[in-house]
Amino acid sequence: CETNNSGDYCFQNLTNKKLKVFVSHVGECIVEPAQTQCFYNVKAASYSYEIEILENKVTYRPVYEKAYAKGNILIEKCKSKTFIIK
């Protein structure tokens, strides 16, 4: 982490909904209820994020229903942080 100027950032889902987390220039992941997903060795910087509720409709295709939250996160060098979603 010192050499790469990187850190880790996790998202913990304390809701009862399946969520999609998108972090700009980093990636996206699905976070099930009571689960934690992490992005590792991410370049230290500020990134925007968006969290959406993932609902399964009658067609059985996942549909991103609505934005649950969005904003900015700061990934710091050699640190690991967890964003708790309530």
Side-chain angles (χ1 to χ4, degrees):
C1 68
E2 272 301 321
T3 324
N4 297 334
N5 188 32
S6 64
D8 304 332
Y9 210 92
C10 301
F11 290 85
Q12 182 179 14
N13 183 357
L14 296 184
T15 73
N16 61 354
K17 304 272 188 187
K18 182 190 278 190
L19 302 173
K20 176 190 152 199
V21 176
F22 172 78
V23 180
S24 64
H25 308 291
V26 176
E28 64 183 56
C29 63
I30 303 297
V31 189
E32 299 281 347
Q35 186 183 48
T36 301
Q37 292 287 342
C38 300
F39 296 100
Y40 297 104
N41 296 316
V42 179
K43 182 178 164 117
S46 178
Y47 298 92
S48 62
Y49 73 88
E50 188 164 318
I51 299 169
E52 296 176 335
I53 297 171
L54 180 59
E55 296 285 352
N56 288 318
K57 300 297 181 188
V58 180
T59 59
Y60 300 106
R61 292 181 52 204
V63 176
Y64 300 108
E65 191 174 79
K66 60 180 179 177
Y68 186 77
K70 59 183 173 179
N72 293 300
I73 57 171
L74 178 63
I75 297 179
E76 298 179 73
K77 181 166 80 173
C78 296
K79 292 193 178 177
S80 182
K81 291 188 176 180
T82 300
F83 185 102
I84 298 173
I85 308 162
K86 296 182 181 180

